[in-house]
Amino acid sequence: MSDTGLRVIIAGGGIAGLALANMLEKANIDYILLEAYSQIAPQVGASIALHPNGLRILDQLGCYEDILKGWDLNLMAVPEVTRWPGGHCLQKIYAMKEHMKRRYGYPLVVTDRQKVQQTLYDSLEHKERVLLQKRVLQVTTTEDGVQVQTVDGDTVSGHVLVGADGAHSKVRAEMRRIANESNPEYFDLEEESQVPAYYKCLFGVSEYVPGSDIHTDFVAGKNFSHLVVTAPRGRVFFIATEKMEGGVTRGSHVPRYTKEDEQSFVERRSNDRLTPTATFGDVYKRKQFSVLTPLHEHVYKRWHFRRIMTIGDAAHKQSPLSGQGGNCAIEDGAVLVNALLRQMKPHITPSGELKSGLLTSLDVEKAFAETQAQCLPRASVLVQSGHLAQAIFGFENLPFSHLVFRIIRAGGLEGMIGTISQPYADAPRLEMLPMPKRLHTVPYTDELPAKPVTSTLTSGGLMALTAALLCVLAYHSMTSGERQADSLGAWKTAAGSEESWLAVQEMAIKSLPFLLAPALIWPLDANRRGNSASIPLFMAAVFAVTWSLMGGVVSVPPVYFLLNAVLGDNSIVGRGIQSDVAATFMPAISVAAILPNAIGGLAHSTNLWWQQGQQRGGILLHLWTATLMCGVLLVAGTVRLVQVHQSRVSKLESPSDLAARSLKNYGKKDLQPLMQCYGLVLAICSSVHVASMIYALKTGHSSCAGFTDISCWVWELRRQGYIDTKQAGQAALSIAVGQTLVGPGAVYVAAWRWREGVLANLED
């Protein structure tokens, strides 16, 4: 297919500009790239962090494998270490990069920015379209195009200009100048003067310090922080930040630093310990390259005017601690190309050429507006999260920083990965190119069965409706419990006859589904990978005790549903349970199924039964009530014993063994024992319900029927896009019908079994 006839001028040959050039080339859109420097990959930036959301797009462009060739794969095993001031270890996470790859298809790669730029340039087919030493001087726009005058006197014409020329963007300045001449209110005239810099940053690369024990180390300190990363070829990337004098500097008051300023910075920070055996001064003495620069943090309100668009650092600048700057720039380019192709589609002939004059300024502005609408909110979140991370590591609020670090430490591997991977799932891609096949367990949003529901009003309204329904059900359950307690209280006054024993035994059997379902699901949820830092194991025991004391077999579960929906991890990656822990549920739940009647039978066979009726009835009532919590406590206790054993074993294992064992949790090895356990409990619960209903019809006795609302979980699966609307409707109908056919306990278990399968299938 020939070029479409549209010509895009790209200002800037960095990551954003070169990535965009590759995208345009794949889309058969003509372009010309203007680079200010004399070489395409100069050493003006030390390192770049490429996350799965950025690597995914680079993989579509065919650059991923070449980037990995320049990276030492042995670095996959380097641990991530968080350190206190003084270099003391707070937390050490092994094999995190490998975990990223297993979950999202790509590792987290920290490599040479120069190498990535060279790879992007080498992948271009039309290298003649890249012009060096072409610094932008002035821009003019026409009805159907744009002209760029360079410092050396050349003039370049095209239909669209994209400024990918960094934080000090000349294109952005020219765009605002042109807008101010014709429409002064289009841009905020005060915005440039308010762009803040809270920290200054010394970044660079040095030789590895022998005996320093440097891995990937994040070091916190009062008004400063350090990040040092083991790099290929025996080197270390370093990023040292320090709070600006006065806390913040804005606009034209933000300084540009000299080498003398850099030396003063090093003198202040030289004794900062990165590890117990190495200081920042030790690293800096071996430096190969370094630059001191202010850290601007800002998202511009408007990114485009007429036929001019800005992307990357020219549109949004963030703290390097987020590691998302380059990835966000790559995403901007992908969204822009998608939007341009959408506007061009109606105007392309069968031969693939753009009909002359049909891509109007309005078409271009629509594409630009779509790009900003999709990218600006995401960039804002990333800038805010980067600022927050810098504030936490800089101890700007010491108690808050300590609290956050303790929470992250408690979360362990899952807490760390969960924090870093938040931007991944919603990442865009190039719609005109297929996605290469990479095994991963967590689907991206565009791979889900349905589009997630993101409306805050809809989500909040339905959650409020669910909460109100749960309150009604809780009240109904309480009154049902009171009626049940009154019935049992009547047994206290019964004579010492066999009939009262049979009545207690009948009630215990009928209540078995209400015991077994929570006995399985509550400890199971507490042990999910994603709930390690949010729903502690003892929560199941707390609910069991509360459940028993309240006297109603369906009083507390609605409250549990609501709290679990708020506190629990409902993600695909958070579903898993350690396989050896999952294997303990079957024997524990089997005992829990027998326990209530066993305790009751023991009471019946002892002399306690033959005491006077009032005392005997009270003993039976207390024994029966106690069995309601025994099942949950038994399962939770069994799991806890396994965890204690694992903890003792792990202390004897080497770091490599620990990493290898953590990686064994992939592959859904927990699914078979869990499904077997679900099947057992489901069979018992449904059988008891059906039998009790038949018995009630024959004898006229009351049945222990109830209602369990789990519709919030159906909505949650639909809201996250894990099921489509049709599946959600079918599930809701099945839950409603199942309440009568197999009983609320069986419906509870069946719904969780179905949910388990839905999440597990998405891991493929």
Side-chain angles (χ1 to χ4, degrees):
M1 183 185 295
S2 62
D3 284 334
T4 58
L6 177 69
R7 193 187 200 197
V8 178
I9 303 173
I10 305 170
I15 300 297
L18 287 168
L20 178 59
N22 276 271
M23 298 174 199
L24 293 171
E25 201 166 82
K26 298 290 186 184
N28 298 296
I29 297 176
D30 187 20
Y31 67 92
I32 187 163
L33 189 150
L34 308 178
E35 167 55 38
Y37 288 91
S38 60
Q39 49 184 324
I40 198 61
Q43 182 62 282
V44 294
S47 62
I48 182 172
L50 293 175
H51 290 251
N53 53 309
L55 288 171
R56 188 172 181 239
I57 299 172
L58 295 178
D59 199 10
Q60 286 186 283
L61 297 174
C63 300
Y64 171 63
E65 296 292 348
D66 290 332
I67 289 173
L68 282 190
K69 289 177 183 177
W71 189 59
D72 187 354
L73 291 178
N74 291 325
L75 297 177
M76 293 280 284
V78 172
E80 322 292 315
V81 186
T82 304
R83 297 185 183 274
W84 290 117
H88 305 296
C89 179
L90 170 68
Q91 182 185 48
K92 183 178 288 188
I93 302 295
Y94 291 95
M96 193 180 77
K97 298 179 182 67
E98 183 62 35
H99 280 284
M100 292 288 194
K101 185 178 180 181
R102 298 285 184 94
R103 298 184 186 196
Y104 299 99
Y106 305 93
L108 196 169
V109 176
V110 181
T111 188
D112 296 87
R113 181 179 294 267
Q114 181 185 31
K115 170 64 179 176
V116 177
Q117 289 182 212
Q118 189 65 51
T119 300
L120 288 169
Y121 175 73
D122 291 343
S123 67
L124 290 173
E125 180 180 351
H126 297 286
K127 294 181 176 61
E128 73 279 1
R129 298 178 182 177
V130 177
L131 306 182
L132 303 178
Q133 293 183 293
K134 298 295 180 182
R135 186 180 296 274
V136 175
L137 177 63
Q138 190 176 26
V139 178
T140 57
T141 60
T142 64
E143 178 60 30
D144 60 354
V146 61
Q147 289 185 335
V148 177
Q149 184 180 349
T150 61
V151 172
D152 63 355
D154 281 354
T155 299
V156 181
S157 299
H159 300 99
V160 169
L161 170 62
V162 179
D165 49 344
H168 302 286
S169 171
K170 180 64 174 178
V171 171
R172 185 181 68 238
E174 284 294 288
M175 177 179 68
R176 297 174 76 92
R177 177 187 63 79
I178 294 170
N180 292 340
E181 291 175 356
S182 60
N183 187 1
E185 297 181 355
Y186 186 82
F187 286 108
D188 181 354
L189 298 179
E190 302 297 325
E191 186 174 16
E192 289 284 6
S193 65
Q194 295 301 312
V195 174
Y198 299 92
Y199 282 79
K200 64 188 74 171
C201 170
L202 177 60
F203 66 88
V205 59
S206 72
E207 297 176 0
Y208 190 84
V209 180
S212 62
D213 197 32
I214 289 176
H215 305 294
T216 295
D217 297 271
F218 298 84
V219 184
K222 182 62 177 176
N223 293 326
F224 73 90
S225 67
H226 293 276
L227 170 60
V228 285
V229 181
T230 305
R233 300 185 297 280
R235 298 171 302 148
V236 171
F237 298 129
F238 63 84
I239 298 175
T241 64
E242 185 181 70
K243 189 78 171 176
M244 283 282 194
E245 294 81 0
V248 60
T249 309
R250 298 180 183 275
S252 60
H253 298 290
V254 177
R256 294 201 176 191
Y257 295 110
T258 64
K259 283 298 178 183
E260 289 74 20
D261 295 324
E262 181 177 322
Q263 288 303 315
S264 298
F265 181 99
V266 173
E267 289 174 6
R268 292 192 299 273
R269 305 266 61 96
S270 182
N271 293 324
D272 293 346
R273 289 214 162 268
L274 307 179
T275 71
T277 57
T279 65
F280 177 68
D282 297 330
V283 171
Y284 187 80
K285 288 175 185 176
R286 294 169 171 80
K287 75 175 179 69
Q288 299 173 344
F289 172 84
S290 62
V291 171
L292 180 65
T293 182
L295 293 180
H296 296 90
E297 299 178 44
H298 188 67
V299 179
Y300 284 89
K301 300 174 184 177
R302 291 180 181 266
W303 297 5
H304 63 92
F305 181 72
R306 292 181 179 169
R307 290 178 174 265
I308 306 174
M309 179 82 190
T310 56
I311 64 172
D313 287 354
H316 46 79
K317 190 71 174 70
Q318 54 190 280
S319 167
L321 274 188
S322 71
Q324 283 287 349
N327 302 273
C328 211
I330 295 170
E331 290 183 6
D332 291 347
V335 175
L336 174 59
V337 171
N338 291 340
L340 283 173
L341 289 176
R342 257 189 291 278
Q343 293 301 320
M344 293 166 59
K345 187 175 181 180
H347 309 312
I348 294 179
T349 66
S351 62
E353 296 179 352
L354 187 66
K355 297 176 184 177
S356 177
L358 287 182
L359 195 62
T360 65
S361 293
L362 181 59
D363 295 327
V364 172
E365 290 191 41
K366 283 181 179 179
F368 288 171
E370 178 185 337
T371 302
Q372 178 179 312
Q374 184 172 344
C375 293
L376 189 148
R378 183 170 169 82
S380 299
V381 170
L382 292 173
V383 169
Q384 291 170 6
S385 63
H387 178 80
L388 179 60
Q390 182 63 73
I392 291 170
F393 275 91
F395 285 168
E396 293 184 14
N397 184 323
L398 190 59
F400 179 70
S401 294
H402 276 271
L403 174 63
V404 171
F405 283 129
R406 297 301 180 188
I407 292 174
I408 292 176
R409 184 178 183 180
L413 172 68
E414 296 305 323
M416 178 68 76
I417 294 181
T419 301
I420 295 174
S421 65
Q422 286 180 357
Y424 296 171
D426 293 331
R429 65 178 180 88
L430 289 165
E431 296 170 359
M432 81 281 189
L433 294 177
M435 279 304 309
K437 299 296 183 182
R438 304 282 178 187
L439 293 177
H440 57 288
T441 59
V442 181
Y444 293 87
T445 299
D446 53 39
E447 297 173 332
L448 292 173
K451 184 178 180 180
V453 179
T454 57
S455 170
T456 304
L457 179 62
T458 303
S459 301
L462 286 176
M463 285 302 294
L465 182 61
T466 301
L469 179 60
L470 292 177
C471 291
V472 173
L473 290 171
Y475 175 78
H476 174 74
S477 300
M478 289 290 293
T479 57
S480 297
E482 291 172 1
R483 289 193 299 270
Q484 178 186 359
D486 291 341
S487 176
L488 290 173
W491 296 345
K492 290 183 181 181
T493 59
S497 65
E498 190 70 20
E499 285 75 11
S500 63
W501 156 246
L502 292 175
V504 174
Q505 188 77 345
E506 177 186 331
M507 180 60 71
I509 293 174
K510 290 178 180 178
S511 302
L512 193 57
F514 297 99
L515 163 67
L516 288 185
L520 170 63
I521 292 173
W522 292 356
L524 189 153
D525 282 345
N527 281 277
R528 293 192 187 279
R529 184 187 297 142
N531 288 336
S532 57
S534 59
I535 301 183
L537 182 61
F538 71 83
M539 185 173 175
V542 170
F543 269 95
V545 173
T546 307
W547 186 25
S548 299
L549 294 178
M550 290 181 69
V553 293
V554 288
S555 299
V556 177
V559 182
Y560 176 83
F561 291 144
L562 185 59
L563 288 180
N564 199 355
V566 174
L567 299 176
D569 186 320
N570 307 308
S571 66
I572 295 166
V573 69
R575 181 206 65 81
I577 297 175
Q578 292 184 22
S579 55
D580 46 1
V581 171
T584 66
F585 280 93
M586 178 64 84
I589 204 69
S590 298
V591 175
I594 301 172
L595 193 62
N597 292 313
I599 292 179
L602 179 64
H604 179 54
S605 62
T606 62
N607 290 333
L608 292 175
W609 176 255
W610 300 110
Q611 296 177 15
Q612 292 182 356
Q614 184 82 10
Q615 183 179 3
R616 181 196 60 227
I619 292 174
L620 284 177
L621 175 60
H622 291 134
L623 285 172
W624 178 79
T625 304
T627 61
L628 296 178
M629 72 177 78
C630 287
V632 179
L633 295 176
L634 176 65
V635 177
T638 304
V639 171
R640 182 58 184 161
L641 289 175
V642 173
Q643 291 176 333
V644 170
H645 174 71
Q646 290 176 343
S647 177
R648 291 176 179 175
V649 171
S650 64
K651 292 179 180 179
L652 304 176
E653 291 181 318
S654 65
S656 60
D657 291 336
L658 280 172
R661 186 155 63 85
S662 68
L663 294 171
K664 291 181 180 179
N665 292 328
Y666 298 98
K668 300 187 287 190
K669 297 178 181 178
D670 62 326
L671 195 58
Q672 182 178 355
L674 289 182
M675 287 301 183
Q676 291 174 346
C677 204
Y678 280 127
L680 172 64
V681 176
L682 179 59
I684 294 175
C685 292
S686 57
S687 299
V688 170
H689 176 80
V690 172
S692 65
M693 293 295 286
I694 294 173
Y695 180 73
L697 290 173
K698 288 184 176 181
T699 62
H701 291 186
S702 63
S703 64
C704 194
F707 186 85
T708 299
D709 178 57
I710 52 177
S711 57
C712 56
W713 285 108
V714 176
W715 159 245
E716 183 65 16
L717 292 175
R718 175 61 192 93
R719 186 189 67 81
Q720 293 182 287
Y722 297 163
I723 58 175
D724 58 30
T725 303
K726 180 180 179 181
Q727 289 175 296
Q730 291 173 341
L733 180 61
S734 299
I735 289 171
V737 174
Q739 303 284 338
T740 301
L741 296 181
V742 294
V747 167
Y748 187 3
V749 177
W752 241 244
R753 187 180 189 277
W754 170 72
R755 174 176 175 265
E756 196 88 43
V758 167
L759 297 179
N761 289 336
L762 289 173
E763 293 181 29
D764 298 329

